[in-house]
Amino acid sequence: MPRGNDPTSKVFYKGASEDFIVFVDDTQVLNNWRNDRSIPLADVVNGFKIFVTHRHGAQGIMDGASKGILQTEFGTANEDECITKILENGDYQSSVSRERQDDTNVANGPVGIGR
């Protein structure tokens, strides 16, 4: 996953029983791949991992998709074929995560109290 303030690009696919997400590197490469299948799939995706959000849309908590879920939705458990279907029929989305801030040393007590 990208660090704070880095853009996140993904393809969201709303299936019949689950919502699926595949992370991609760049929208231009995705569009080129959609028009020219000679571009390797490895150049398009940012890792060969399919995520499900348990019907919570593109912003839901993501878990790895099991082979059973893929078989039910796409008729195959082959992840390459499922990724191809998601990239073909899904919606591209891009967002920038805000920078994460947290206590750097919790042994010093809560932040903002008595300081």
Side-chain angles (χ1 to χ4, degrees):
M1 294 300 289
R3 298 182 66 96
N5 296 336
D6 284 347
T8 302
S9 302
K10 60 188 172 186
V11 176
F12 172 74
Y13 177 84
K14 186 163 188 70
S17 61
E18 288 287 349
D19 296 337
F20 297 89
I21 292 177
V22 172
F23 287 95
V24 294
D25 287 325
D26 184 20
T27 182
Q28 186 62 39
V29 175
L30 175 63
N31 289 332
N32 290 344
W33 175 84
R34 284 178 172 170
N35 295 322
D36 178 12
R37 293 303 168 90
S38 67
I39 297 171
L41 195 56
D43 291 348
V44 180
V45 298
N46 187 348
F48 283 86
K49 182 77 173 166
I50 302 171
F51 295 93
V52 293
T53 61
H54 306 290
R55 304 296 290 170
H56 288 108
Q59 306 303 322
I61 295 174
M62 292 180 270
D63 291 325
S66 69
K67 293 196 180 292
I69 291 173
L70 296 176
Q71 182 70 39
T72 300
E73 182 67 37
F74 299 105
T76 180
N78 183 318
E79 289 187 5
D80 290 348
E81 291 178 22
C82 295
I83 288 172
T84 300
K85 291 178 183 181
I86 292 169
L87 294 177
E88 288 172 343
N89 303 313
D91 298 322
Y92 175 80
Q93 298 179 351
S94 180
S95 63
V96 176
S97 303
R98 68 177 185 84
E99 187 174 347
R100 296 184 280 281
Q101 295 180 347
D102 201 0
D103 290 340
T104 55
N105 189 349
V106 294
N108 290 338
V111 173
I113 297 178
R115 291 189 190 177

